[in-house]
Short mmCIF file of all heavy atoms in Angstrom, two decimals:
data_model
loop_
_atom_site.label_atom_id
_atom_site.label_comp_id
_atom_site.label_asym_id
_atom_site.label_seq_id
_atom_site.Cartn_x
_atom_site.Cartn_y
_atom_site.Cartn_z
N ARG W 4 16.43 64.29 -36.87
CA ARG W 4 17.05 63.58 -35.75
C ARG W 4 18.48 63.23 -36.13
O ARG W 4 18.73 62.66 -37.19
CB ARG W 4 16.27 62.31 -35.42
CG ARG W 4 14.84 62.59 -35.00
CD ARG W 4 14.07 61.29 -34.80
NE ARG W 4 14.63 60.46 -33.75
CZ ARG W 4 15.21 59.30 -33.93
NH1 ARG W 4 15.32 58.80 -35.14
NH2 ARG W 4 15.68 58.61 -32.91
N ASN W 45 20.04 46.11 -31.98
CA ASN W 45 18.99 46.61 -32.86
C ASN W 45 17.61 46.21 -32.34
O ASN W 45 16.68 47.02 -32.31
CB ASN W 45 19.20 46.08 -34.29
CG ASN W 45 19.98 47.06 -35.16
OD1 ASN W 45 19.89 48.28 -34.99
ND2 ASN W 45 20.72 46.53 -36.12
N VAL W 48 16.14 48.31 -29.43
CA VAL W 48 15.61 49.66 -29.70
C VAL W 48 14.50 49.64 -30.75
O VAL W 48 14.04 50.69 -31.18
CB VAL W 48 16.72 50.65 -30.13
CG1 VAL W 48 17.74 50.84 -29.01
CG2 VAL W 48 17.40 50.20 -31.42
N ASN W 50 14.66 48.23 -33.84
CA ASN W 50 15.13 48.26 -35.23
C ASN W 50 15.11 46.87 -35.86
O ASN W 50 15.33 45.87 -35.17
CB ASN W 50 16.59 48.75 -35.31
CG ASN W 50 16.75 50.21 -34.98
OD1 ASN W 50 15.77 50.96 -34.96
ND2 ASN W 50 17.98 50.62 -34.72
N PRO W 51 14.93 46.79 -37.19
CA PRO W 51 15.19 45.52 -37.88
C PRO W 51 16.67 45.14 -37.75
O PRO W 51 17.51 46.02 -37.50
CB PRO W 51 14.85 45.82 -39.35
CG PRO W 51 14.12 47.12 -39.34
CD PRO W 51 14.53 47.85 -38.11
N HIS W 54 19.72 47.23 -39.51
CA HIS W 54 19.91 48.68 -39.39
C HIS W 54 21.35 49.00 -38.99
O HIS W 54 21.99 48.25 -38.25
CB HIS W 54 18.94 49.24 -38.35
CG HIS W 54 17.70 49.82 -38.96
ND1 HIS W 54 17.15 49.35 -40.12
CD2 HIS W 54 16.90 50.85 -38.57
CE1 HIS W 54 16.07 50.06 -40.42
NE2 HIS W 54 15.90 50.98 -39.49
N ALA W 55 21.83 50.15 -39.45
CA ALA W 55 23.21 50.54 -39.16
C ALA W 55 23.34 51.00 -37.71
O ALA W 55 22.52 51.77 -37.21
CB ALA W 55 23.65 51.65 -40.12
N LEU W 56 24.40 50.52 -37.07
CA LEU W 56 24.70 50.88 -35.68
C LEU W 56 26.20 51.10 -35.55
O LEU W 56 26.91 51.08 -36.54
CB LEU W 56 24.18 49.79 -34.72
CG LEU W 56 24.42 48.30 -35.02
CD1 LEU W 56 25.88 47.96 -35.18
CD2 LEU W 56 23.83 47.44 -33.94
N ALA W 118 23.16 50.70 -30.63
CA ALA W 118 22.08 50.90 -31.60
C ALA W 118 21.24 52.08 -31.16
O ALA W 118 21.00 52.27 -29.96
CB ALA W 118 21.22 49.64 -31.70
N LEU W 119 20.80 52.90 -32.12
CA LEU W 119 19.93 54.03 -31.85
C LEU W 119 18.64 53.81 -32.64
O LEU W 119 18.68 53.36 -33.79
CB LEU W 119 20.59 55.34 -32.27
CG LEU W 119 21.90 55.65 -31.53
CD1 LEU W 119 23.10 55.32 -32.40
CD2 LEU W 119 21.95 57.10 -31.09
N ALA W 120 17.51 54.13 -32.03
CA ALA W 120 16.22 53.88 -32.68
C ALA W 120 16.17 54.58 -34.03
O ALA W 120 16.52 55.76 -34.15
CB ALA W 120 15.09 54.37 -31.79
N GLY W 121 15.79 53.85 -35.06
CA GLY W 121 15.76 54.38 -36.42
C GLY W 121 17.02 54.06 -37.21
O GLY W 121 17.03 54.13 -38.43
N GLY W 122 18.10 53.75 -36.49
CA GLY W 122 19.35 53.40 -37.17
C GLY W 122 20.09 54.62 -37.67
O GLY W 122 19.54 55.72 -37.76
N LEU W 123 21.36 54.44 -38.01
CA LEU W 123 22.19 55.53 -38.54
C LEU W 123 21.91 55.65 -40.03
O LEU W 123 22.02 54.69 -40.78
CB LEU W 123 23.67 55.23 -38.31
CG LEU W 123 24.07 55.10 -36.84
CD1 LEU W 123 25.46 54.49 -36.72
CD2 LEU W 123 24.02 56.46 -36.16
N ASP W 124 21.55 56.87 -40.45
CA ASP W 124 21.15 57.08 -41.85
C ASP W 124 22.32 57.64 -42.65
O ASP W 124 22.24 58.73 -43.19
CB ASP W 124 19.93 58.01 -41.89
CG ASP W 124 19.33 58.09 -43.28
OD1 ASP W 124 19.66 57.23 -44.12
OD2 ASP W 124 18.54 59.03 -43.52
N VAL W 125 23.41 56.88 -42.71
CA VAL W 125 24.53 57.29 -43.56
C VAL W 125 24.31 56.72 -44.96
O VAL W 125 23.51 55.81 -45.16
CB VAL W 125 25.89 56.82 -42.99
CG1 VAL W 125 26.12 57.39 -41.60
CG2 VAL W 125 25.97 55.31 -42.95
N ARG W 132 25.77 50.04 -45.44
CA ARG W 132 26.30 51.19 -44.69
C ARG W 132 27.50 50.78 -43.84
O ARG W 132 27.91 51.53 -42.96
CB ARG W 132 25.22 51.77 -43.81
CG ARG W 132 24.05 52.38 -44.59
CD ARG W 132 23.01 52.99 -43.66
NE ARG W 132 22.09 53.83 -44.38
CZ ARG W 132 20.94 53.42 -44.92
NH1 ARG W 132 20.60 52.14 -44.81
NH2 ARG W 132 20.16 54.25 -45.57
N LEU W 151 25.87 62.43 -37.29
CA LEU W 151 25.27 61.32 -38.04
C LEU W 151 23.75 61.46 -38.00
O LEU W 151 23.17 61.61 -36.92
CB LEU W 151 25.67 59.98 -37.43
CG LEU W 151 27.17 59.68 -37.36
CD1 LEU W 151 27.43 58.47 -36.47
CD2 LEU W 151 27.71 59.44 -38.76
N ALA W 152 23.12 61.40 -39.18
CA ALA W 152 21.66 61.45 -39.24
C ALA W 152 21.08 60.13 -38.74
O ALA W 152 21.69 59.07 -38.88
CB ALA W 152 21.22 61.71 -40.67
N LEU W 153 19.89 60.21 -38.16
CA LEU W 153 19.19 59.00 -37.71
C LEU W 153 17.97 58.78 -38.57
O LEU W 153 17.30 59.74 -38.98
CB LEU W 153 18.77 59.15 -36.25
CG LEU W 153 19.90 59.26 -35.22
CD1 LEU W 153 19.33 59.53 -33.83
CD2 LEU W 153 20.72 57.98 -35.21
N GLY W 154 17.64 57.52 -38.84
CA GLY W 154 16.43 57.18 -39.56
C GLY W 154 15.21 57.30 -38.65
O GLY W 154 15.32 57.60 -37.46
N THR W 155 14.05 57.07 -39.23
CA THR W 155 12.80 57.15 -38.47
C THR W 155 12.52 55.82 -37.79
O THR W 155 12.54 54.78 -38.44
CB THR W 155 11.64 57.49 -39.43
OG1 THR W 155 11.97 58.68 -40.13
CG2 THR W 155 10.34 57.67 -38.67
N PRO W 156 12.29 55.84 -36.46
CA PRO W 156 12.00 54.57 -35.78
C PRO W 156 10.74 53.93 -36.38
O PRO W 156 9.79 54.62 -36.72
CB PRO W 156 11.76 55.00 -34.34
CG PRO W 156 12.47 56.30 -34.21
CD PRO W 156 12.36 56.97 -35.55
#
Side-chain angles (χ1 to χ4, degrees):
Chain W
R4 299 175 62 248
N45 265 329
V48 297
N50 290 345
H54 262 32
L56 45 57
L119 299 101
L123 299 167
D124 189 16
V125 301
R132 295 182 166 91
L151 301 168
L153 296 174
T155 305

